[in-house]
Amino acid sequence: MSDLSIRTISADEHAAYIAAQPSASFLQTPGWAAVKSEWKAESLGWYESGNPGNLVGVGLVLYRQMPKVKRYLAYLPEGPVIDWDAIDLGSYLRPLAAHLQERGAFGIRMGPPVATRRWTAQTIKDAIAGGQQPRLGDVRPDVIEPSGATVAEKLRKLGWKAPRIAEGFAAGQPQYVFQVPLAGRTPDDLLKGMNQLWRRNIKKADKAGVEVTQGGTEDIKAFHQLYVETAERDHFTPRPLPYFEKMYAAMANQPADCCDFRIYNAHHEGDLVASTIWVRVGGHSWYSYGASSTAKRDVRGSNAIQWRMMSDALAAGASVYDLRGITDTLDPNDPHVGLIQFKTGTGGEAVEYVGEWDLPLNKALYTAFDLYMRRR
């Protein structure tokens, strides 16, 4: 197979292609470029060499400049949107590398949306209870995705390298996520798939009078106040309010209906007890950000709002509800294990992706930038 041609495309062309796909990451939509406005951005399109009008793939590239020199790390988060099962993956990746090198990139990082392994909620629960395997990666998976190993081998042969875990540029997306399969299921089936605690908490929230509604741009400030409260309680650094204002403006108003972006609010007797951000692209829906109040924890607003988002994802035709990243720790004494236990209660599955792969184009600059990012 000959290499495809590649060129810059418009946001409208990019969005229209995404909208026609069964699934793509929201981090690969043109709107995400506006969210990450501190990076330069470019929408790229792949075309058949003999048919320059036939668009066969797209990618959002974010360029991060190296300090003091006009050279860049080119980053494609959870992308690009191409045929990852192609026999000759290089027909996509060789022209990509050539194009980005011309643009001044010293290295490329991308995150192929290709799964490698899956673990059911019961397998994870048993592993935590057993206490013998401190990492999810050490547990025998319920499903091994053959395409994952195939893509990884092709990337190695093309000169790409997988970053070492917890090392490298601080730009990465999670390699392990937690997802609830929705295809072919009913709301009753979803509810039955949850553990007893989740079902009880959803019922408790309903009985307590928790009301979950879809919000709008006017709710961003209240969401952020609750998010800052959550950050203080859970010991993480919150993003500033303008980030979410920019996100709403960019993601909720994309062309060609390529992205559905919503804010949800859970109130109890007039008090905001939980607030979340939900995104859908094609058949993939995400719980992107969440916040909950320290007060009124007993009314279970977080469970109620998750159930509403999951139900709405199902109603919108999504095949996956994605609760985003988890750490791979299964150590009962690790404080991070609580996150995976909360998400496991939904009855879904942990999914490992092939991770983010790097292609150094200038090894000296690539190494220097990596050291710079580690020291920040």
Side-chain angles (χ1 to χ4, degrees):
M1 181 178 176
S2 61
D3 287 357
L4 303 166
S5 62
I6 194 169
R7 65 174 184 264
T8 304
I9 59 175
S10 70
D12 284 351
E13 290 173 307
H14 186 165
Y17 186 87
I18 293 284
Q21 304 310 303
S23 180
S25 172
F26 67 92
L27 303 181
Q28 279 294 298
T29 62
W32 194 250
V35 179
K36 293 294 183 180
S37 56
E38 70 275 18
W39 298 57
K40 284 177 57 180
E42 182 180 23
S43 289
L44 291 178
W46 280 263
Y47 294 85
E48 290 182 347
S49 298
N51 186 2
N54 187 24
L55 184 63
V56 294
V58 298
L60 176 67
V61 183
L62 302 174
Y63 295 94
R64 181 159 188 166
Q65 187 172 345
M66 189 172 185
K68 300 180 181 179
V69 292
K70 271 207 160 183
R71 300 297 295 276
Y72 305 89
L73 166 68
Y75 181 43
L76 294 90
E78 296 183 1
V81 184
I82 59 175
D83 179 10
W84 288 99
D85 291 323
I87 294 173
D88 182 9
L89 197 53
S91 64
Y92 287 94
L93 300 182
R94 283 186 294 266
L96 173 67
H99 177 88
L100 297 180
Q101 194 160 24
E102 287 179 4
R103 288 286 195 266
F106 61 81
I108 310 170
R109 169 164 286 189
M110 66 178 181
V114 179
T116 59
R117 298 184 291 177
R118 300 174 186 271
W119 297 262
T120 65
Q122 188 61 50
T123 294
I124 296 168
K125 181 181 176 182
D126 291 345
I128 294 173
Q132 299 300 310
Q133 294 151 313
R135 296 287 171 186
L136 182 59
D138 298 329
V139 178
R140 183 175 181 176
D142 295 283
V143 176
I144 295 175
E145 299 285 1
S147 58
T150 301
V151 167
E153 182 58 26
K154 288 178 180 179
L155 290 175
R156 287 188 189 96
K157 287 182 178 179
L158 289 166
W160 293 75
K161 63 175 189 173
R164 290 162 293 187
I165 300 298
E167 294 187 22
F169 307 145
Q173 299 302 320
Q175 186 168 358
Y176 292 90
V177 300
F178 202 88
Q179 299 175 349
V180 180
L182 301 179
R185 302 179 72 179
T186 64
D188 187 55
D189 179 44
L190 282 177
L191 197 58
K192 287 179 180 177
M194 295 179 177
N195 68 15
Q196 187 178 18
L197 180 62
W198 262 82
R199 294 197 302 272
R200 186 165 64 238
N201 286 344
I202 290 170
K203 187 174 182 179
K204 186 174 183 180
D206 183 55
K207 190 173 182 180
V210 174
E211 296 183 353
V212 181
T213 57
Q214 188 178 326
T217 185
E218 69 280 0
D219 297 297
I220 296 173
K221 191 171 183 180
F223 159 81
H224 188 259
Q225 289 174 340
L226 206 60
Y227 168 72
V228 170
E229 180 182 332
T230 303
E232 291 174 354
R233 184 180 68 240
D234 294 346
H235 310 292
F236 65 87
T237 303
R239 293 188 180 275
L241 175 60
Y243 179 87
F244 293 101
E245 292 173 332
K246 189 162 49 176
M247 178 186 284
Y248 192 95
M251 300 297 287
N253 298 294
Q254 293 199 79
D257 299 321
C258 83
C259 187
D260 190 359
F261 184 91
R262 306 178 187 176
I263 288 181
Y264 284 90
N265 298 312
H267 286 92
H268 178 259
E269 296 177 347
D271 297 322
L272 183 65
V273 293
S275 187
T276 54
I277 291 175
W278 177 98
V279 191
R280 181 180 63 84
V281 180
H284 206 121
S285 60
W286 292 265
Y287 158 52
S288 182
Y289 282 95
S292 60
S293 65
T294 303
K296 294 192 171 183
R297 307 280 284 178
D298 59 318
V299 301
R300 305 303 178 186
S302 292
N303 296 94
I305 206 167
Q306 288 289 346
W307 174 236
R308 170 65 186 273
M309 289 193 296
M310 201 180 300
S311 300
D312 284 3
L314 183 65
S319 56
V320 174
Y321 180 72
D322 196 324
L323 289 98
R324 296 292 285 169
I326 53 173
T327 61
D328 71 337
T329 181
L330 298 179
D331 182 352
N333 299 313
D334 190 317
H336 292 108
V337 82
L339 178 64
I340 195 170
Q341 287 176 315
F342 174 78
K343 294 181 179 182
T344 297
T346 62
E349 60 184 11
V351 182
E352 178 193 45
Y353 283 86
V354 294
E356 295 194 322
W357 290 70
D358 292 354
L359 182 67
L361 300 173
N362 180 311
K363 290 187 178 179
L365 290 177
Y366 173 89
T367 302
F369 188 79
D370 196 14
L371 288 172
Y372 165 76
M373 293 301 295
R374 290 168 193 258
R375 290 169 180 165
R376 293 193 67 193

